[in-house]
Amino acid sequence: MEALRQDDPRRFGRFTALARFHEGASAVRYVARDTASGEVALITAARPELAAVPAYRRRFQAEARTAERLAGGWVAPPLDTGEEPETPADGPETLWTAAGYVPALPLAEAIGIAGPLDERALRILGAGIAEILSRVHAAGAVLQGLAPGTVLLAADGPRLTAFGPLGAAASAEARPGGQLSVRLGYLTPEQIEGKEVSAASDLFVLGLLLAYAATGTTPFTEGPAEEAARRIAGDEPELDAVPEALRELITNCLAKDPAARPTAGTVAAELALEGAAGLARGGWLPERLAAAVADQEARVLALEAPEENPDTPEKAPAPVSAEAPEPVEDTAAPEPAEGTTAPQSEDARPEDAAPVDAPASPVETSVAPAPAGSPATAEPEDARPVDAPAPREPAASAAGGDGDIGEDRGTTRFLNTGPRPPQNDRPTTQLSLPAELVAPPGTAPAPVAQPIPPALPVAPVAPQHPGPTHGGPAPYPAAALPAGPAGSGGAGGGPMVSLPLPPAPAPVPDPAASRRTLLTIAAAAVGGLIVGGGSVAALGSGDTAVATDDKPAPKPRRTLPGQPPEPRWIYTHPASESSPLTTAVWRDKLLLVTSESQASAVDLRTGKRLWQRADGAKGQAALAAGADLVFVASPSEFLWLSPKNGKVVHRVRYTDAFADLPGLAVGPLAGNSGPVVWFTGSHTVTVKAPKPKKGKKKGKDKEVVQAHFFAYDIVQRKELWRTPVPAGRAPGTPAYRVVVDRSADVLVRQDAVSLTAAEVKAAKGKGSIRSFDQKTGKLLWTKQYAAVSPEAATGGDEDGTLYAAVGKDLQAFETDTTKPLWRVEGSDGSVFGTPLVAGPLIHTTERSQLVGAVERESGRLVWRRSTEVPGTGNAPSLTLSGSEKTLVAADAVQVTAFSAADGERLWKFQDIGSADPKGATVSAQYRALAAGETVVVQRDRAFYAFPVA
């Protein structure tokens, strides 16, 4: 859920739009309220560029009528079809429908929050959807609207929100000549063979959906993406991780022959003979999901109608014609929702499908492969340290009535009604905006800031990286490296946005005018944003940014408590270049950024881009190779670049360095220590069939993936050792992460997303740690620790202690013996993220947005504080400043800085993203990198360098 954009409609008939709820390929959904009755609705509004296409309009109207016919049960009843007596004369009619709002989570988001569903929840989910399909099929129609993003989980049962291929489309676009191109996801075997879809096609997709809900992945993911259609048509699904009681039913739904699949009624009865509603009576969602649904409802109820800009003409919605009902005849297939942690299956091959509307408006049809991919409670009173007295806030802040009583209670309450809805923390949050993002390129900044829609309670964003880690911070892309106390890297690179220098002395102003100006600035400062002349003035928290180049330092000025310090510089990665992939700090001098097209370097003193090099495209995090070289691992070679100009000084191609492993595919770097990096790699070998016995036919040769774990010295540029390891999930390279390197061995764990189905089954819900000899690479041992799961966040220290999330708690173990040492109790319904070891302390992070510190030796809690972000996302990722005095917590909503010693909350920061009405929505996770006395905060293309202690 996000704030309305400037070009979003504010009114839909009797409804006032409050916020964007979800943006799909063909339509945008809004949370809205009836201005007269106060009733909350969910508006589905067609994209304007598509609404002008006749074929799209007819399909949109047909799916709206299908929803109306199915209303009741697990389909929210329609409240309005958008029919109005007047329509705008200056453009195409706006298509929209309104349905009753039901607090619920998309299936994909729910899996990202709590992991796969248990058997009872699977039965309720499958039975509810099958009941809807049974009604559709009884009318002789086919639904084709199932996907992880179109199925919602509400407190009393599932809900369906798409009633045809438009609602479940991966992408839709208008093309010249009145054509409509709709790209879809899931395909069935009969569609791959060019046959028509039938009711049995919906059952195949239901089987895929239930397999995804049971395992967090799709059952046809083993193998290259280009062979996805072949696997769907010919391979058997991998269902080992599905509960045994449901395995046979799902297998039948995924039968290649449509005639062999059960009917929707049979599925519904077999899953829940008493009906989905009866089985769900008394609650069916896990505690964590139930809390997330309740939190969403609280946030929606807290929304207030934004003030309309009088200078912007209201976009009047227009009617959706109510023609006679017609059957749904599209041949498209659903796909996993966009913008969720759910992967899009490799087997989900998108298709541009033509609705069977009038041939006068043809719809372009094509078939193309889809990319592979997946689809808080208060702390114990005795564990809550006493905060230092907070500075008094201005009266305007107190009068805001936001329910904040100035206490750090672990979770903040809102008007005594339960968990506080997510909202911008006005006294302690700065909203910042890079100057060149204020207007489209080539547009001069306006002298007066345009009104910005009021701040919206920000919903946590589901992880968007492949392979979500249930309970831990969203993993960084493949190039992430353990970076010691600095934490993980982020991404970015491009023209610098310079902060304005202090103005020249001005004549003495009129006292009255000065007073008005002072009052205006003070009011804006309380809101955390000062805009003037198209630029941003950031209010500091005490120290003024120290100039590190030849520029004059800005004069000290009074600051507000809790505001972030003024950035030393702001840097924006150019919109003309591909988005950043990875970011790393080189020797506290350079910010190294890689993208699909190049690697580039930014001066950490000034924020200016120094060079860019195409050879480093798609490279992994840069490391220091000695005193004067930058090491980058690209997809095909190792590179050593000059930090001065990016020139390639050395290069080692994998085909040359590992000539005995032809076709070696190098995986993500697992970690580094000094000049040594560890990584995994795999290649395919052909195993000849054994010589047949006399009279027997010779068998077929087999293609087998072999994997290795490597140690490589980047200073001497030579391989130290390699050791064979089990191959991972297709394409075969296992993803390892170094937990800790000790003098005698290095401890690693394999990312759960790269485990094969057989490994997941054999693990029985437990994760493993492997120990490899530092000198030879020999595998010394493999151990499991209590109930630590494959997805659990883990960390370690060189003294021989392992720290891991176990349920809602954090537990310490003796690494070599697996003996438990101590346990720190966590928040109910939450899990710990990856801990950060720093001297005698371990800094902790929880999904409930609590950050703290415990003693390594005893596990005694030193302090614990809340970031005051609603706890429905992942645990914040932690970064320590170079001095280890400042702890920075970054999540999907904001960055919060704490004093590492006592947990004093220092400041918060939010980046509001692009103000361009047509600009892309910024939903990326915040990331922080430490560089000496600077912490670089990154979100998508924007980078801010903050001075820290």
Side-chain angles (χ1 to χ4, degrees):
M1 195 161 58
E2 63 178 84
L4 296 173
R5 298 179 184 173
Q6 292 181 2
D7 59 342
D8 281 333
R10 296 308 195 262
R11 299 278 297 183
F12 296 90
R14 59 192 173 97
F15 296 99
T16 299
L18 304 177
R20 278 179 163 238
F21 187 81
H22 177 263
E23 183 172 1
S26 64
V28 179
R29 279 187 277 173
Y30 300 89
V31 177
R33 183 177 289 122
D34 186 331
T35 53
S37 66
E39 183 177 23
V40 180
L42 204 58
I43 305 292
T44 301
R47 291 183 177 276
E49 66 273 18
L50 298 177
V53 180
Y56 176 92
R57 296 179 65 82
R58 287 191 291 272
R59 172 53 55 190
F60 184 94
Q61 293 163 357
E63 293 187 14
R65 289 191 295 271
T66 300
E68 189 172 2
R69 289 194 299 271
L70 294 174
W74 307 120
V75 177
L79 302 178
D80 201 328
T81 58
E83 297 178 0
E84 294 187 21
E86 298 181 3
T87 61
D90 57 348
E93 300 176 358
T94 301
L95 296 172
W96 63 275
T97 60
Y101 165 73
V102 178
L105 298 173
L107 174 61
E109 182 180 339
I111 297 298
I113 292 174
L117 302 180
D118 59 27
E119 181 183 334
R120 178 170 176 268
L122 288 170
R123 288 184 176 277
I124 295 168
L125 170 66
I129 300 303
E131 290 169 7
I132 299 174
L133 292 178
S134 181
R135 295 167 58 198
V136 173
H137 298 165
V142 182
L143 182 67
Q144 295 184 271
L146 298 182
T150 65
V151 174
L152 306 182
L153 307 186
D156 59 346
R159 294 292 192 281
L160 185 62
T161 62
F163 306 94
L166 277 187
S171 67
E173 61 179 320
R175 295 190 175 179
Q179 295 180 329
L180 174 66
S181 175
V182 178
R183 294 179 62 81
L184 305 121
Y186 288 141
L187 290 184
T188 63
E190 55 268 30
Q191 287 176 297
I192 294 172
E193 296 174 1
K195 299 178 182 178
E196 292 186 359
V197 297
S198 64
S201 302
D202 282 340
L203 270 298
F204 186 90
V205 179
L206 177 60
L208 290 175
L209 197 74
L210 290 176
Y212 167 71
T215 64
T217 186
T218 53
F220 295 101
T221 56
E222 291 286 350
E226 58 270 20
E227 296 180 9
R230 178 195 60 75
R231 293 196 300 276
I232 293 175
D235 288 2
E236 292 302 317
E238 294 183 11
L239 300 175
D240 291 344
V242 173
E244 186 175 356
L246 303 180
R247 200 173 299 155
E248 182 179 355
L249 177 63
I250 296 178
T251 300
N252 293 339
C253 288
L254 296 175
K256 308 303 180 187
D257 182 4
R261 298 170 198 156
T263 64
T266 299
V267 172
E270 190 164 340
L271 288 174
L273 189 60
E274 66 274 49
L279 187 58
R281 190 172 294 115
W284 70 294
L285 293 178
E287 183 178 352
R288 194 178 303 159
L289 295 184
V293 170
D295 178 69
Q296 181 195 102
E297 182 178 20
R299 288 189 280 115
V300 168
L301 293 177
L303 291 174
E304 296 185 9
E307 297 179 4
E308 296 184 14
N309 183 356
D311 298 331
T312 303
E314 178 180 324
K315 296 192 174 185
V320 175
S321 61
E323 302 170 4
E326 62 186 47
V328 178
E329 298 175 333
D330 268 333
T331 58
E335 70 95 40
E338 296 178 48
T340 67
T341 55
Q344 179 178 339
S345 169
E346 287 181 2
D347 322 293
R349 300 177 66 86
E351 173 185 343
D352 289 346
V356 287
D357 289 311
S361 300
V363 181
E364 180 178 284
T365 303
S366 64
V367 178
S374 250
T377 55
E379 61 187 352
E381 196 65 33
D382 57 355
R384 191 177 306 120
V386 179
D387 281 347
R392 296 180 60 87
E393 298 295 330
S397 176
D402 62 0
D404 190 354
I405 60 174
E407 298 178 357
D408 185 2
R409 304 183 295 165
T411 55
T412 307
R413 297 295 168 182
F414 177 70
L415 298 179
N416 300 320
T417 60
R420 182 176 183 172
Q423 57 184 313
N424 294 330
D425 187 330
R426 299 183 205 175
T428 59
T429 301
Q430 181 209 5
L431 301 178
S432 187
L433 181 67
E436 60 252 50
L437 294 183
V438 175
T443 304
V448 180
Q450 294 298 321
I452 296 175
L456 170 73
V458 181
V461 179
Q464 303 201 10
H465 302 289
T469 304
H470 307 309
Y476 198 55
L481 284 176
S488 335
M496 179 185 72
V497 180
S498 300
L499 292 177
L501 293 175
V508 178
D510 175 78
S514 297
R515 183 175 183 276
R516 288 193 301 270
T517 303
L518 178 61
L519 292 175
T520 302
I521 293 177
V526 170
L529 176 66
I530 297 180
V531 180
S535 62
V536 174
L539 297 178
S541 65
D543 295 332
T544 306
V546 179
T548 54
D549 54 9
D550 296 331
K551 298 178 182 178
K555 296 179 180 179
R557 62 191 181 197
R558 297 184 63 184
T559 62
L560 294 179
Q563 293 292 337
E566 178 179 310
R568 300 184 190 275
W569 45 260
I570 302 174
Y571 167 86
T572 305
H573 191 72
S576 59
E577 299 178 10
S578 54
S579 296
L581 293 176
T582 67
T583 305
V585 169
W586 182 84
R587 303 183 66 84
D588 290 349
K589 295 179 180 179
L590 297 179
L591 180 70
L592 273 299
V593 180
T594 66
S595 68
E596 291 283 345
S597 57
Q598 62 191 11
S600 55
V602 177
D603 190 331
L604 279 172
R605 298 179 307 112
T606 64
K608 293 181 179 180
R609 182 149 75 171
L610 301 178
W611 51 260
Q612 47 199 354
R613 176 66 59 178
D615 301 77
K618 302 180 182 179
Q620 299 190 43
L623 302 172
D628 55 359
L629 291 177
V630 178
F631 171 82
V632 175
S634 79
S636 60
E637 60 187 348
F638 290 148
L639 299 172
W640 285 261
L641 309 179
S642 166
K644 296 181 180 180
N645 53 23
K647 180 181 177 181
V648 178
V649 179
H650 305 288
R651 71 170 76 232
V652 175
R653 292 183 172 85
Y654 303 150
T655 54
D656 298 330
F658 311 102
D660 58 330
L661 302 176
L664 179 69
V666 173
L669 299 182
N672 73 290
S673 177
V676 179
V677 296
W678 296 281
F679 60 92
T680 53
S682 66
H683 73 127
T684 302
V685 298
T686 301
V687 177
K688 298 291 184 180
K691 185 177 180 180
K693 295 182 180 179
K694 186 176 181 180
K696 298 292 184 179
K697 186 178 179 180
K698 182 180 179 181
K700 294 183 179 180
D701 296 342
K702 293 184 178 180
E703 299 290 321
V704 178
V705 176
Q706 294 181 347
H708 295 81
F709 184 44
F710 298 84
Y712 192 92
D713 190 312
I714 62 176
V715 173
Q716 300 183 49
R717 300 194 298 280
K718 70 175 185 178
E719 178 183 345
L720 300 179
W721 51 255
R722 75 177 72 163
T723 188
V725 294
R729 181 178 288 271
T733 304
Y736 282 6
R737 182 177 68 84
V738 173
V739 175
V740 63
D741 72 292
R742 305 187 294 181
S743 58
D745 63 352
V746 56
L747 306 184
V748 303
R749 68 173 303 176
Q750 185 172 346
D751 287 348
V753 293
S754 70
L755 293 171
T756 64
E759 289 174 323
V760 172
K761 183 178 181 181
K764 297 181 179 180
K766 293 185 178 181
S768 298
I769 299 292
R770 294 183 173 99
S771 168
F772 294 92
D773 187 275
Q774 281 274 22
K775 294 182 179 179
T776 66
K778 179 183 177 181
L779 176 64
L780 301 178
W781 50 256
T782 301
K783 298 181 185 295
Q784 294 180 326
Y785 296 81
V788 178
S789 70
E791 302 87 3
T794 57
D797 61 37
E798 57 186 13
D799 295 333
T801 305
L802 185 79
Y803 312 98
V806 180
K808 68 180 183 65
D809 302 331
L810 180 70
Q811 193 163 354
F813 302 89
E814 280 188 0
T815 302
D816 296 317
T817 66
T818 74
K819 176 185 176 182
L821 298 177
W822 48 256
R823 178 189 295 263
V824 174
E825 185 176 353
S827 308
D828 291 337
S830 181
V831 292
F832 279 88
T834 302
L836 186 60
V837 178
L841 299 179
I842 304 169
H843 293 290
T844 63
T845 173
E846 299 180 57
R847 179 176 286 175
S848 58
Q849 304 302 306
L850 292 175
V851 175
V854 299
E855 291 181 351
R856 286 171 56 184
E857 185 71 23
S858 63
R860 184 184 71 85
L861 183 65
V862 177
W863 60 265
R864 180 180 284 169
R865 296 284 188 275
S866 172
T867 64
E868 298 184 342
V869 172
T872 56
N874 286 322
S877 60
L878 302 179
T879 301
L880 270 174
S881 63
S883 65
E884 299 191 357
K885 293 181 180 179
T886 302
L887 180 68
V888 177
D891 53 45
V893 177
Q894 68 185 27
V895 173
T896 311
F898 299 90
S899 168
D902 57 14
E904 178 187 359
R905 195 182 296 106
L906 303 176
W907 49 261
K908 299 181 183 180
F909 171 79
Q910 290 181 335
D911 170 16
I912 64 175
S914 174
D916 179 5
K918 298 182 180 179
T921 301
V922 177
S923 58
Q925 185 93 0
Y926 285 95
R927 303 190 184 279
L929 298 91
E933 297 180 348
T934 300
V935 165
V936 178
V937 171
Q938 179 256 336
R939 194 183 197 198
D940 196 32
R941 296 176 180 270
F943 294 78
Y944 303 82
F946 292 109
V948 292

